[in-house]
Amino acid sequence: QVQLVESGGGVVQPGRSLRLSCAASGFTLSYYGMHWVRQAPGRGLEWVAVISSDGSNDFYADSVKGRFTISRDNSKNTVYLQMSSLRAVDTAVYYCAKDGDCSNGACHPNYFSNWGQGTLVTVSS
Amino acid sequence: QSALTQPASVSGSPGQSIAISCTGTSSDVGGYNFVSWYQQHPGKAPKLMLYEVNNRPSGVPDRFSGSKSGNTASLTISGLQAEDEADYYCASYTSSNTRVFGGGTKLTVL
């Protein structure tokens, strides 16, 4: 079965950097786009970034553009989120999510088909 | 990248039906049939309930259905059950190749 396991969260000071990882198993990672979604404490879901299946395209929310970078290593079945110039407002649980699904020869993209359990990032001095 | 608009809360009694609206613009909800819905229980990761407006993944009961008219999508839950009490979020693909979520709706089963 599909499994996504995030890691790398923790407490970091404002202005510093942190890299999150998402280890994928149970499916062929190279077939799918992947997302990062975050949720601040007590708040709603916020989409952060997406990367295409081969890593050639990526898109970001305005709130993180220029500070965060999504990347992937399909040979290691892992997706990353490099976060720099972190701010207190970046404090959240960060989830990775698989984009869509393929079955019976047909692929349906543009939704979050599977989610990890999340990793908490706390930006605080 | 403004969030889609959802009611903050809805409620219903067991067995009843409720609907949650999700309003966007012609650049997201109204422009594409890539609207999806997610259920989130406290302390848990979100779970996909509907994709492409009204398609249910395997395992999701047919009590959950979706529709869309113009810039507004809706999630309907019929035959409300206690375990349906959760937060619900809509999401949409956008013309900028980004994605956007609604602010979330807290469903209370009375």
Side-chain angles (χ1 to χ4, degrees):
Chain A
Q1 73 282 18
V2 172
Q3 191 167 14
L4 299 169
V5 179
E6 302 93 338
S7 61
V11 180
V12 59
Q13 293 180 328
R16 303 298 291 267
S17 299
L18 198 65
R19 188 179 81 160
L20 306 182
S21 299
C22 170
S25 61
F27 67 103
T28 304
L29 181 64
S30 61
Y31 289 179
Y32 295 95
M34 293 293 293
H35 300 266
W36 285 96
V37 175
R38 67 184 181 182
Q39 187 170 34
R43 306 294 296 271
L45 301 172
E46 180 186 15
W47 176 81
V48 173
V50 62
I51 187 167
S52 59
S53 58
D54 63 358
S56 61
N57 291 289
D58 53 352
F59 298 93
Y60 300 88
D62 287 343
S63 58
V64 307
K65 197 176 299 183
R67 299 188 300 123
F68 290 12
T69 302
I70 188 172
S71 62
R72 63 193 297 157
D73 186 336
N74 288 339
S75 68
K76 295 183 177 179
N77 290 317
T78 304
V79 180
Y80 304 98
L81 185 67
Q82 178 69 47
M83 305 183 294
S84 61
S85 302
L86 282 162
R87 307 165 181 167
V89 295
D90 296 319
T91 295
V93 173
Y94 285 74
Y95 297 99
C96 68
K98 172 172 158 282
D99 184 75
D101 207 1
C102 297
S103 62
N104 300 322
C107 288
H108 298 264
N110 297 324
Y111 61 95
F112 311 99
S113 54
N114 302 87
W115 299 68
Q117 85 289 348
T119 187
L120 175 62
V121 173
T122 303
V123 183
S124 173
S125 55
Chain B
Q1 292 182 346
S2 299
L4 306 176
T5 301
Q6 297 180 232
S9 63
V10 298
S11 63
S13 299
Q16 289 186 332
S17 295
I18 63 95
I20 299 172
S21 62
C22 170
T23 301
T25 69
S26 58
S27 295
D28 39 63
V29 173
Y32 309 91
N33 285 326
F34 292 129
V35 176
S36 50
W37 290 90
Y38 304 85
Q39 177 190 67
Q40 187 180 35
H41 287 109
K44 301 294 188 181
K47 174 188 175 184
L48 173 69
M49 304 304 286
L50 295 173
Y51 66 96
E52 292 176 356
V53 178
N54 191 26
N55 288 317
R56 280 186 311 276
S58 61
V60 173
D62 60 6
R63 302 185 294 103
F64 291 82
S65 64
S67 63
K68 193 186 84 167
S69 177
N71 296 336
T72 299
S74 296
L75 167 70
T76 298
I77 308 174
S78 58
L80 210 56
Q81 299 182 3
E83 58 262 36
D84 298 333
E85 183 163 296
D87 294 326
Y88 290 85
Y89 296 88
C90 62
S92 176
Y93 174 83
T94 83
S95 59
S96 303
N97 289 305
T98 61
R99 314 296 189 270
V100 61
F101 281 98
T105 298
K106 181 177 179 59
L107 169 61
T108 301
V109 181
L110 302 171

